[in-house]
Short mmCIF file of all heavy atoms in Angstrom, two decimals:
data_model
loop_
_atom_site.label_atom_id
_atom_site.label_comp_id
_atom_site.label_asym_id
_atom_site.label_seq_id
_atom_site.Cartn_x
_atom_site.Cartn_y
_atom_site.Cartn_z
N GLU A 19 -0.43 6.04 -9.61
CA GLU A 19 -1.25 6.19 -8.42
C GLU A 19 -2.33 7.24 -8.63
O GLU A 19 -3.48 7.07 -8.29
CB GLU A 19 -0.39 6.52 -7.20
CG GLU A 19 -1.10 6.32 -5.91
CD GLU A 19 -0.15 6.39 -4.72
OE1 GLU A 19 1.08 6.37 -4.88
OE2 GLU A 19 -0.67 6.46 -3.58
N TRP A 20 -1.97 8.39 -9.25
CA TRP A 20 -2.95 9.44 -9.55
C TRP A 20 -4.01 8.91 -10.50
O TRP A 20 -5.19 9.22 -10.34
CB TRP A 20 -2.29 10.69 -10.13
CG TRP A 20 -1.45 11.47 -9.16
CD1 TRP A 20 -0.21 11.96 -9.40
CD2 TRP A 20 -1.82 11.93 -7.84
NE1 TRP A 20 0.23 12.65 -8.29
CE2 TRP A 20 -0.72 12.67 -7.34
CE3 TRP A 20 -2.95 11.80 -7.04
CZ2 TRP A 20 -0.72 13.27 -6.07
CZ3 TRP A 20 -2.96 12.37 -5.80
CH2 TRP A 20 -1.84 13.11 -5.33
N LEU A 21 -3.58 8.20 -11.53
CA LEU A 21 -4.54 7.65 -12.51
C LEU A 21 -5.48 6.65 -11.82
O LEU A 21 -6.68 6.69 -12.05
CB LEU A 21 -3.80 6.99 -13.65
CG LEU A 21 -4.72 6.33 -14.71
CD1 LEU A 21 -5.65 7.36 -15.34
CD2 LEU A 21 -3.86 5.62 -15.79
N GLN A 22 -4.93 5.81 -10.96
CA GLN A 22 -5.77 4.83 -10.25
C GLN A 22 -6.76 5.55 -9.33
O GLN A 22 -7.88 5.10 -9.15
CB GLN A 22 -4.93 3.84 -9.48
CG GLN A 22 -4.30 2.81 -10.34
CD GLN A 22 -5.29 1.91 -11.04
OE1 GLN A 22 -6.46 1.81 -10.71
NE2 GLN A 22 -4.79 1.21 -12.06
N ALA A 23 -6.34 6.67 -8.73
CA ALA A 23 -7.23 7.42 -7.86
C ALA A 23 -8.38 8.04 -8.69
O ALA A 23 -9.53 8.05 -8.23
CB ALA A 23 -6.48 8.53 -7.12
N PHE A 24 -8.07 8.51 -9.89
CA PHE A 24 -9.13 9.02 -10.77
C PHE A 24 -10.10 7.90 -11.13
O PHE A 24 -11.30 8.04 -11.03
CB PHE A 24 -8.55 9.66 -12.04
CG PHE A 24 -9.63 10.16 -12.98
CD1 PHE A 24 -10.16 11.40 -12.84
CD2 PHE A 24 -10.16 9.32 -13.96
CE1 PHE A 24 -11.17 11.85 -13.68
CE2 PHE A 24 -11.17 9.71 -14.81
CZ PHE A 24 -11.68 11.02 -14.66
N ILE A 25 -9.52 6.77 -11.56
CA ILE A 25 -10.35 5.62 -11.95
C ILE A 25 -11.20 5.15 -10.77
O ILE A 25 -12.39 4.85 -10.88
CB ILE A 25 -9.50 4.47 -12.51
CG1 ILE A 25 -8.89 4.90 -13.86
CG2 ILE A 25 -10.30 3.19 -12.66
CD1 ILE A 25 -7.78 3.96 -14.35
N GLY A 26 -10.57 5.11 -9.60
CA GLY A 26 -11.28 4.71 -8.38
C GLY A 26 -12.44 5.63 -8.04
O GLY A 26 -13.53 5.18 -7.67
N GLY A 27 -12.21 6.95 -8.17
CA GLY A 27 -13.29 7.90 -7.94
C GLY A 27 -14.43 7.76 -8.92
O GLY A 27 -15.61 7.86 -8.57
N PHE A 28 -14.09 7.50 -10.19
CA PHE A 28 -15.07 7.30 -11.25
C PHE A 28 -15.92 6.06 -10.93
O PHE A 28 -17.15 6.12 -10.92
CB PHE A 28 -14.35 7.12 -12.57
CG PHE A 28 -15.24 7.14 -13.77
CD1 PHE A 28 -15.40 8.30 -14.50
CD2 PHE A 28 -15.88 5.99 -14.21
CE1 PHE A 28 -16.21 8.33 -15.63
CE2 PHE A 28 -16.71 5.98 -15.32
CZ PHE A 28 -16.87 7.15 -16.05
N ILE A 29 -15.25 4.95 -10.64
CA ILE A 29 -15.94 3.69 -10.37
C ILE A 29 -16.75 3.78 -9.06
O ILE A 29 -17.84 3.29 -8.96
CB ILE A 29 -14.97 2.51 -10.34
CG1 ILE A 29 -14.46 2.26 -11.80
CG2 ILE A 29 -15.59 1.25 -9.75
CD1 ILE A 29 -13.37 1.29 -11.91
N ALA A 30 -16.18 4.44 -8.03
CA ALA A 30 -16.87 4.60 -6.76
C ALA A 30 -18.19 5.39 -6.95
O ALA A 30 -19.17 5.09 -6.27
CB ALA A 30 -16.01 5.31 -5.73
N THR A 31 -18.20 6.29 -7.91
CA THR A 31 -19.47 7.03 -8.20
C THR A 31 -20.48 6.09 -8.77
O THR A 31 -21.65 6.09 -8.36
CB THR A 31 -19.19 8.17 -9.19
OG1 THR A 31 -18.20 9.06 -8.64
CG2 THR A 31 -20.47 8.96 -9.46
N LEU A 32 -20.07 5.27 -9.75
CA LEU A 32 -21.01 4.36 -10.40
C LEU A 32 -21.52 3.30 -9.46
O LEU A 32 -22.71 2.91 -9.55
CB LEU A 32 -20.34 3.70 -11.61
CG LEU A 32 -19.94 4.68 -12.71
CD1 LEU A 32 -19.20 3.92 -13.82
CD2 LEU A 32 -21.17 5.39 -13.29
N LEU A 33 -20.69 2.79 -8.57
CA LEU A 33 -21.11 1.69 -7.70
C LEU A 33 -21.61 2.12 -6.30
O LEU A 33 -22.68 1.76 -5.89
CB LEU A 33 -19.96 0.66 -7.53
CG LEU A 33 -19.46 0.03 -8.84
CD1 LEU A 33 -18.31 -0.91 -8.51
CD2 LEU A 33 -20.59 -0.71 -9.51
N PHE A 34 -20.80 2.90 -5.61
CA PHE A 34 -21.15 3.26 -4.20
C PHE A 34 -22.09 4.45 -4.16
O PHE A 34 -23.12 4.35 -3.47
CB PHE A 34 -19.85 3.55 -3.43
CG PHE A 34 -19.07 2.29 -3.11
CD1 PHE A 34 -18.34 1.62 -4.07
CD2 PHE A 34 -19.11 1.77 -1.81
CE1 PHE A 34 -17.59 0.48 -3.76
CE2 PHE A 34 -18.38 0.64 -1.49
CZ PHE A 34 -17.63 -0.01 -2.48
N HIS A 35 -21.74 5.55 -4.76
CA HIS A 35 -22.58 6.76 -4.76
C HIS A 35 -23.95 6.44 -5.35
O HIS A 35 -24.98 6.66 -4.70
CB HIS A 35 -21.88 7.84 -5.58
CG HIS A 35 -22.58 9.13 -5.64
ND1 HIS A 35 -23.60 9.36 -6.55
CD2 HIS A 35 -22.39 10.31 -4.98
CE1 HIS A 35 -24.03 10.62 -6.44
NE2 HIS A 35 -23.31 11.21 -5.49
N GLN A 36 -23.97 5.88 -6.56
CA GLN A 36 -25.24 5.57 -7.21
C GLN A 36 -25.95 4.41 -6.53
O GLN A 36 -27.19 4.33 -6.54
CB GLN A 36 -25.03 5.34 -8.69
CG GLN A 36 -24.65 6.60 -9.44
CD GLN A 36 -25.74 7.64 -9.42
OE1 GLN A 36 -26.80 7.46 -10.04
NE2 GLN A 36 -25.51 8.73 -8.68
N GLY A 37 -25.21 3.51 -5.91
CA GLY A 37 -25.79 2.40 -5.16
C GLY A 37 -26.61 2.93 -3.97
O GLY A 37 -27.71 2.44 -3.71
N VAL A 38 -26.08 3.93 -3.27
CA VAL A 38 -26.81 4.52 -2.16
C VAL A 38 -28.03 5.30 -2.69
O VAL A 38 -29.13 5.23 -2.12
CB VAL A 38 -25.93 5.41 -1.30
CG1 VAL A 38 -26.73 6.19 -0.24
CG2 VAL A 38 -24.87 4.54 -0.60
N ILE A 39 -27.83 6.00 -3.81
CA ILE A 39 -28.98 6.69 -4.46
C ILE A 39 -30.06 5.67 -4.76
O ILE A 39 -31.27 5.91 -4.53
CB ILE A 39 -28.55 7.42 -5.75
CG1 ILE A 39 -27.58 8.55 -5.42
CG2 ILE A 39 -29.74 7.93 -6.53
CD1 ILE A 39 -28.13 9.78 -4.78
N ALA A 40 -29.67 4.50 -5.29
CA ALA A 40 -30.65 3.44 -5.60
C ALA A 40 -31.42 3.01 -4.35
O ALA A 40 -32.65 2.81 -4.40
CB ALA A 40 -29.95 2.25 -6.24
N LEU A 41 -30.70 2.84 -3.25
CA LEU A 41 -31.36 2.42 -2.00
C LEU A 41 -32.36 3.50 -1.54
O LEU A 41 -33.48 3.19 -1.14
CB LEU A 41 -30.34 2.14 -0.91
CG LEU A 41 -29.43 0.95 -1.14
CD1 LEU A 41 -28.37 0.87 -0.05
CD2 LEU A 41 -30.23 -0.34 -1.21
N PHE A 42 -31.96 4.77 -1.61
CA PHE A 42 -32.87 5.88 -1.25
C PHE A 42 -34.08 5.88 -2.16
O PHE A 42 -35.23 6.03 -1.72
CB PHE A 42 -32.15 7.22 -1.37
CG PHE A 42 -31.22 7.57 -0.26
CD1 PHE A 42 -30.37 8.63 -0.37
CD2 PHE A 42 -31.14 6.81 0.91
CE1 PHE A 42 -29.47 8.98 0.62
CE2 PHE A 42 -30.27 7.13 1.91
CZ PHE A 42 -29.43 8.24 1.76
N TRP A 43 -33.89 5.70 -3.47
CA TRP A 43 -34.95 5.71 -4.44
C TRP A 43 -35.91 4.53 -4.23
O TRP A 43 -37.12 4.67 -4.23
CB TRP A 43 -34.34 5.68 -5.85
CG TRP A 43 -35.36 5.75 -6.94
CD1 TRP A 43 -36.17 6.81 -7.24
CD2 TRP A 43 -35.66 4.75 -7.87
NE1 TRP A 43 -36.95 6.50 -8.35
CE2 TRP A 43 -36.65 5.21 -8.77
CE3 TRP A 43 -35.17 3.42 -8.08
CZ2 TRP A 43 -37.17 4.47 -9.80
CZ3 TRP A 43 -35.68 2.70 -9.14
CH2 TRP A 43 -36.65 3.21 -9.95
N LEU A 44 -35.34 3.34 -4.02
CA LEU A 44 -36.16 2.14 -3.78
C LEU A 44 -37.00 2.29 -2.50
O LEU A 44 -38.12 1.75 -2.43
CB LEU A 44 -35.32 0.89 -3.75
CG LEU A 44 -34.71 0.46 -5.09
CD1 LEU A 44 -33.70 -0.64 -4.88
CD2 LEU A 44 -35.85 0.04 -6.03
N ALA A 45 -36.44 3.00 -1.52
CA ALA A 45 -37.17 3.18 -0.24
C ALA A 45 -38.18 4.33 -0.36
O ALA A 45 -38.88 4.61 0.61
CB ALA A 45 -36.16 3.49 0.86
N GLY A 46 -38.24 4.99 -1.51
CA GLY A 46 -39.15 6.11 -1.71
C GLY A 46 -38.74 7.41 -1.02
O GLY A 46 -39.57 8.29 -0.81
N LEU A 47 -37.47 7.50 -0.68
CA LEU A 47 -36.99 8.69 0.02
C LEU A 47 -36.63 9.84 -0.91
O LEU A 47 -36.57 10.99 -0.49
CB LEU A 47 -35.77 8.34 0.89
CG LEU A 47 -36.05 7.31 1.99
CD1 LEU A 47 -34.76 6.92 2.69
CD2 LEU A 47 -37.03 7.86 3.00
N ILE A 48 -36.33 9.50 -2.16
CA ILE A 48 -36.00 10.52 -3.15
C ILE A 48 -36.71 10.24 -4.45
O ILE A 48 -36.99 9.07 -4.76
CB ILE A 48 -34.47 10.65 -3.43
CG1 ILE A 48 -33.92 9.32 -3.94
CG2 ILE A 48 -33.71 11.08 -2.15
CD1 ILE A 48 -32.47 9.39 -4.43
N PRO A 49 -37.04 11.28 -5.22
CA PRO A 49 -37.78 11.05 -6.48
C PRO A 49 -36.91 10.67 -7.66
O PRO A 49 -37.35 10.10 -8.64
CB PRO A 49 -38.45 12.41 -6.72
CG PRO A 49 -37.56 13.42 -6.09
CD PRO A 49 -36.94 12.69 -4.88
N ALA A 50 -35.62 11.00 -7.58
CA ALA A 50 -34.71 10.80 -8.75
C ALA A 50 -34.16 9.38 -8.74
O ALA A 50 -33.58 8.93 -7.75
CB ALA A 50 -33.56 11.82 -8.70
N ALA A 51 -34.30 8.70 -9.86
CA ALA A 51 -33.76 7.32 -10.01
C ALA A 51 -32.25 7.36 -10.13
O ALA A 51 -31.67 8.37 -10.64
CB ALA A 51 -34.41 6.68 -11.20
N PRO A 52 -31.57 6.32 -9.75
CA PRO A 52 -30.12 6.25 -9.92
C PRO A 52 -29.73 6.02 -11.39
O PRO A 52 -30.57 5.70 -12.23
CB PRO A 52 -29.72 5.04 -9.06
CG PRO A 52 -30.94 4.16 -9.10
CD PRO A 52 -32.12 5.11 -9.14
N TRP A 53 -28.45 6.15 -11.65
CA TRP A 53 -27.87 5.92 -12.97
C TRP A 53 -28.66 6.63 -14.07
O TRP A 53 -28.98 6.06 -15.08
CB TRP A 53 -27.74 4.41 -13.24
CG TRP A 53 -26.86 3.74 -12.23
CD1 TRP A 53 -25.50 3.86 -12.12
CD2 TRP A 53 -27.26 2.91 -11.14
NE1 TRP A 53 -25.05 3.14 -11.04
CE2 TRP A 53 -26.12 2.54 -10.41
CE3 TRP A 53 -28.50 2.42 -10.68
CZ2 TRP A 53 -26.13 1.74 -9.29
CZ3 TRP A 53 -28.52 1.61 -9.59
CH2 TRP A 53 -27.37 1.26 -8.90
N ASN A 54 -28.86 7.92 -13.84
CA ASN A 54 -29.64 8.77 -14.77
C ASN A 54 -28.84 8.93 -16.09
O ASN A 54 -27.75 9.47 -16.08
CB ASN A 54 -29.90 10.12 -14.11
CG ASN A 54 -30.78 11.03 -14.91
OD1 ASN A 54 -30.90 10.87 -16.10
ND2 ASN A 54 -31.40 11.96 -14.23
N MET A 55 -29.46 8.52 -17.16
CA MET A 55 -28.81 8.59 -18.47
C MET A 55 -29.26 9.82 -19.31
O MET A 55 -28.92 9.97 -20.44
CB MET A 55 -29.11 7.33 -19.27
CG MET A 55 -28.53 6.07 -18.65
SD MET A 55 -26.75 6.14 -18.44
CE MET A 55 -26.24 5.84 -20.13
#
Side-chain angles (χ1 to χ4, degrees):
E19 196 169 348
W20 289 133
L21 178 60
Q22 285 296 345
F24 177 88
I25 292 167
F28 190 98
I29 290 172
T31 303
L32 296 175
L33 299 179
F34 286 75
H35 180 279
Q36 291 296 290
V38 172
I39 295 286
L41 294 175
F42 284 169
W43 182 67
L44 290 169
L47 298 174
I48 60 172
W53 299 288
N54 187 336
M55 296 301 284

